[in-house]
Amino acid sequence: MSARPSLNLYDLTRDELCRQFERWGFSRVHAERLWNYLYLQLADSFSPDTMPELPAKVRTRLTAEASLGILPTALETDSSDGFTRKYLLSLQDGERIETVLMRFTGRVTACISSQVGCAMGCVFCATGQMGYTRHLTPGEIVAQAVHVARQLRLQSQSSSKPRTQSSKLRPHQDDMAPPRLRNVVLMGMGEPLHNYDAVMRAADILRDPNGLAIAAERITLSTVGVVPGILRLAEEKRPLHLAVSLHAATQAERSALVPAAKKWPLDELMAACRTYSETTGRRIFYEWTLIEGKNDTPDHARAVGTLLRGLPAQVNLIPLNPTSGYDGIPTRSEAAKTFQKILAEEFKLPSTVRQRRGIDIAAGCGQLAIAN
Ligand code: SAH
Ligand code: SF4
């Protein structure tokens, strides 16, 4: 494999890019232009056609010392539901990850990965079943969102009439603008709080108002329950949405499904969640993968209702998606409705049942894995 210059531009915040330009002896204006090319034009090369307003000397330096960090698509698959597309993306070292574009009424969401594989070993999760290979870099996390944003633009360009000169302006200012990526969920492969620093840097880059400008409240991070990470999020008052994968309301039941619960027991996890909500004033989503007979009975609903009593919470129920390494059965919709009803009526606890998307192409929650 050919060596790529070591500086991945997607690793840098806007300020860092400006400082890098200063070190190179280039003006801040050119750094800002490059930033616009990266995140507003979604440029895919340093060529004069793509970046016409950069002087040749800047382009030469970039070509020699920096890379765009674009992740080539190894495979792309459409779900028969017509709303979900899964991308298998290649990393520089030959590893691969999956990223999913999901369309819902009125919004598009990118589901992005934070690691190659996962070390947490949840029994029902395909990523857990493949084991842990490595953390993603901030640039590799950012590149997934850029990829989805670029795909959205390409899709809308191919389905609309030729664009006028004025529509080449910043996409935010353009009336004819294609649907913009506004929602990102860190729910792909990996445990984001196991890769805390890279994920937070990536979130900062995604949020930059001069770039992709994804609002903090539209970035959702889902964790298996890494207690030190939750406490750090609270301490740093990170303005992200937090989802915690609960799945069971007793330590014994939870550690049978989620081995990480042995390291971070349920009582410590709930204490951390309480601290998080008290410190940030924010509600947490508690995810609950519904598995028939295991955690979906009325007694289980009452147990989670009791556990979350007094906490600002919403429960996200996810009917189990099939994976090759686990033979549990998804809860039927009747039982899911009863579960919801108990939470609502007996505990005033709001809940949703997550829409099933991309199951036929293994793009649903917990189905992302790379078969080598
Ligand atoms: N590592 C993080 C985020 C990735 S998984 C976490 O565990 O929270 C995103 C969500 O999908 C989690 O709530 C996870 O428990 C759930 N999930 C994993 N495997 C699943 C499966 N087979 N069916 C349904 N949900 C699953
Ligand atoms: Fe890792 Fe999340 Fe899958 Fe558990 S559910 S193995 S933490 S990706």
Side-chain angles (χ1 to χ4, degrees):
M1 194 168 304
S2 64
R4 190 156 67 169
S6 54
L7 181 67
N8 178 354
L9 295 176
Y10 291 142
D11 272 331
L12 305 182
T13 62
R14 192 163 178 268
D15 274 353
E16 287 167 344
L17 185 66
C18 292
R19 282 204 297 275
Q20 180 63 52
F21 266 52
E22 238 168 64
R23 279 195 291 275
W24 280 336
F26 298 147
S27 86
R28 190 184 174 92
V29 173
H30 290 140
E32 288 169 354
R33 267 188 206 149
L34 174 59
W35 182 267
N36 291 353
Y37 284 132
L38 294 179
Y39 295 109
L40 300 181
Q41 312 290 345
L42 307 172
D44 57 5
S45 83
F46 298 133
S47 76
D49 282 351
T50 321
M51 301 189 175
E53 290 180 34
L54 284 188
K57 61 176 185 198
V58 171
R59 221 189 327 275
T60 307
R61 189 98 194 219
L62 287 172
T63 309
E65 293 186 37
S67 74
L68 258 173
I70 287 174
L71 305 178
T73 308
L75 186 68
E76 99 183 39
T77 336
D78 279 317
S79 167
S80 60
D81 64 26
F83 298 105
T84 313
R85 183 172 281 191
K86 182 167 83 166
Y87 301 97
L88 177 64
L89 302 177
S90 302
L91 308 179
Q92 180 63 12
D93 62 358
E95 296 296 342
R96 287 174 301 173
I97 49 167
E98 293 190 317
T99 300
V100 183
L101 184 166
M102 295 176 290
R103 289 176 188 276
F104 299 92
T105 317
R107 76 191 148 99
V108 176
T109 296
C111 176
I112 65 179
S113 296
S114 55
Q115 297 177 317
V116 181
C118 183
M120 301 295 152
C122 303
V123 296
F124 45 71
C125 171
T127 315
Q129 289 156 15
M130 70 181 268
Y132 169 80
T133 303
R134 71 164 172 88
H135 290 320
L136 294 186
T137 62
E140 289 167 336
I141 299 171
V142 169
Q144 296 171 69
V146 172
H147 179 85
V148 171
R150 195 181 287 118
Q151 292 299 316
L152 273 176
R153 183 175 297 181
L154 287 173
Q155 286 168 19
S156 89
Q157 280 171 350
S158 64
S159 63
S160 67
K161 57 183 179 359
R163 295 162 70 71
T164 61
Q165 194 59 31
S166 67
S167 70
K168 285 188 186 146
L169 292 172
R170 290 161 51 114
H172 302 50
Q173 298 170 343
D174 180 2
D175 285 348
M176 300 285 290
R180 188 160 81 78
L181 177 64
R182 289 179 197 279
N183 300 278
V184 169
V185 293
L186 278 147
M187 294 191 187
M189 296 166 68
E191 166 48 48
L193 293 186
H194 185 204
N195 187 14
Y196 190 98
D197 291 328
V199 165
M200 294 312 150
R201 168 179 279 262
D204 288 345
I205 295 169
L206 298 181
R207 286 172 49 207
D208 191 302
N210 295 301
L212 289 182
I214 298 177
E217 60 274 17
R218 290 172 184 264
I219 301 178
T220 302
L221 181 156
S222 173
T223 177
V224 72
V226 177
V227 167
I230 296 172
L231 293 174
R232 195 169 157 198
L233 276 179
E235 198 182 300
E236 295 173 0
K237 295 205 165 59
R238 294 264 173 189
L240 306 173
H241 250 316
L242 182 63
V244 171
S245 296
L246 206 51
H247 311 307
T250 66
Q251 172 62 12
E253 284 180 335
R254 190 162 186 271
S255 45
L257 295 171
V258 178
K262 295 184 189 114
K263 186 159 184 189
W264 299 294
L266 186 61
D267 52 352
E268 286 179 28
L269 172 60
M270 295 319 297
C273 290
R274 191 171 295 280
T275 303
Y276 175 91
S277 285
E278 281 170 6
T279 317
T280 62
R282 239 171 282 124
R283 173 171 77 154
I284 294 178
F285 291 136
Y286 293 91
E287 292 157 293
W288 191 280
T289 294
L290 282 169
I291 311 166
E292 188 172 272
K294 279 251 186 241
N295 66 356
D296 69 344
T297 66
D299 282 350
H300 289 109
R302 291 191 183 98
V304 65
T306 308
L307 185 71
L308 298 180
R309 198 173 256 148
L311 285 169
Q314 171 165 332
V315 177
N316 282 350
L317 300 165
I318 318 170
L320 179 74
N321 293 318
T323 58
S324 63
Y326 185 66
D327 60 6
I329 299 168
T331 295
R332 279 167 244 265
S333 68
E334 295 308 291
K337 279 190 197 127
T338 309
F339 203 97
Q340 278 197 292
K341 198 160 175 252
I342 292 171
L343 295 182
E345 291 179 1
E346 297 180 27
F347 297 92
K348 305 282 170 272
L349 193 53
S351 67
T352 54
V353 178
R354 192 167 293 168
Q355 290 179 44
R356 303 191 87 216
R357 281 288 166 80
I359 307 306
D360 57 332
I361 56 164
C365 294
Q367 292 187 303
L368 303 186
I370 308 303
N372 278 308

